[in-house]
Amino acid sequence: MATSLLLRHSSAVFFSKSSLFFTKNNSSRSVTSIKMERGEASEVITEKTGEGNAAKKMVFVAGATGKTGKRIVEQLLSHGFAVKAGVRDVEKAKTSFKDDPSLQIVRADVTEGPEKLAEAIGDDSKAVICASGFRPGFDLFAPWKVDNFGTVNLVDACRKQGVDRFVLISSILVNGAAMGQILNPAYIFLNVFGLTLVAKLQAEKYIKRSGINYTIVRPGGLKNDPPTGNVVMEPEDTLSTGSISRDQVAEVAVEALLNEESSFKVVEIVARPDAPKLSYKDLFASVKGGN
């Protein structure tokens, strides 16, 4: 479990202009613009497209060639979104994706500061996904450079571009000390590598203070295998064990954009074979919003 959490975790962030939600109904997908002030909705503007297609709204994905990021890109495209894939090596990334007129590949490094990230995001992105995560190595500051400062840079870049919808994929146990899990082997193991979970937790706190409409998704240990159970979604600081397929994590990230119920919430997710299959609308609605 500890090894799975460390070697397989990556972070993801979603943003959208004017607190955009990409909602679904029985006959079509629609783009709903909702001005949110901590849960207070005002004018709703709906832009309908054909059945089964989301409006071609641009979503920026940082870390798009990672194991989770690539799945997020693919699922966004399958939902009808336009995607701007932010990567460190553009030429290498071109070999990772099939040609798609709805996909752009741009250079973006979350450690290089908000100004360059804002240029990569552009003024056409309605949402930003950060699927970046540090790679274990000899640099003990890597978790802070990527999972903390990198996420902060993305938030600040979104502010510069007027983007106001943020979904971060973090990790269960980030607040393990407060949960009484300080002796949990996974919590200990992860923090040996540059206090990884502490770095993620500080980034979460920055997001909450930023005023951006956020969804923070904390998955359990990430598996490369296809899903073997249904998604279980719990409030923050609830789960201390469990795993989930990266495919399902990507699905939850995209569904956070499609469901208003995900707004201003921290959710923890794992998969269990005996769990009932619920709609994402119901899953998000079952979790109370943050402060």
Side-chain angles (χ1 to χ4, degrees), residues 93-275:
K94 289 179 180 178
T95 65
S96 298
F97 299 104
K98 297 178 181 178
D99 289 337
D100 191 311
S102 296
L103 174 64
Q104 300 178 39
I105 300 176
V106 298
R107 188 183 182 283
D109 186 335
V110 296
T111 67
E112 291 184 349
E115 289 77 15
K116 289 186 177 181
L117 283 173
E119 292 177 9
I121 291 169
D123 60 5
D124 57 343
S125 293
K126 303 296 187 287
V128 175
I129 305 172
C130 172
S132 60
F134 93 100
R135 295 181 179 180
F138 294 106
D139 185 358
L140 292 180
F141 292 102
W144 289 87
K145 292 176 181 177
V146 178
D147 293 321
N148 182 276
F149 301 132
T151 301
V152 169
N153 287 338
L154 274 171
V155 173
D156 291 345
C158 287
R159 284 170 164 171
K160 289 179 180 293
Q161 292 292 12
V163 180
D164 192 38
R165 181 73 177 99
F166 184 111
V167 178
L168 167 70
I169 296 182
S170 181
S171 173
I172 64 170
L173 284 174
V174 292
N175 204 21
M179 295 170 62
Q181 294 291 323
I182 196 168
L183 297 181
N184 184 309
Y187 183 77
I188 295 171
F189 184 73
L190 285 163
N191 279 319
V192 165
F193 291 86
L195 298 177
T196 305
L197 295 179
V198 177
K200 289 178 181 291
L201 181 61
Q202 294 306 309
E204 289 187 11
K205 290 180 177 179
Y206 188 84
I207 293 165
K208 291 178 178 180
R209 294 193 303 265
S210 71
I212 286 177
N213 182 357
Y214 66 85
T215 307
I216 296 172
V217 181
R218 297 176 175 175
L222 296 174
K223 299 166 60 177
N224 296 325
D225 301 327
T228 56
N230 293 321
V231 173
V232 174
M233 187 175 289
E234 299 288 353
E236 62 182 306
D237 302 341
T238 300
L239 299 173
S240 58
T241 61
S243 60
I244 188 167
S245 168
R246 291 182 188 272
D247 294 331
Q248 290 169 305
V249 176
E251 191 173 73
V252 170
V254 175
E255 289 290 339
L257 287 183
L258 297 169
N259 289 276
E260 299 173 27
E261 293 79 6
S262 69
S263 181
F264 296 109
K265 292 183 178 180
V266 179
V267 299
E268 299 189 339
I269 56 171
V270 294
R272 293 173 183 156
D274 58 346

Side-chain angles (χ1 to χ4, degrees), residues 23-30 46 48-53 258-259 279 281:
T23 62
K24 300 181 287 186
N25 57 35
N26 291 333
S27 60
S28 66
R29 270 198 185 90
S30 61
T46 302
K48 292 185 177 180
T49 61
E51 183 173 355
N53 294 311
L258 297 169
N259 289 276
S279 71
K281 178 181 177 67

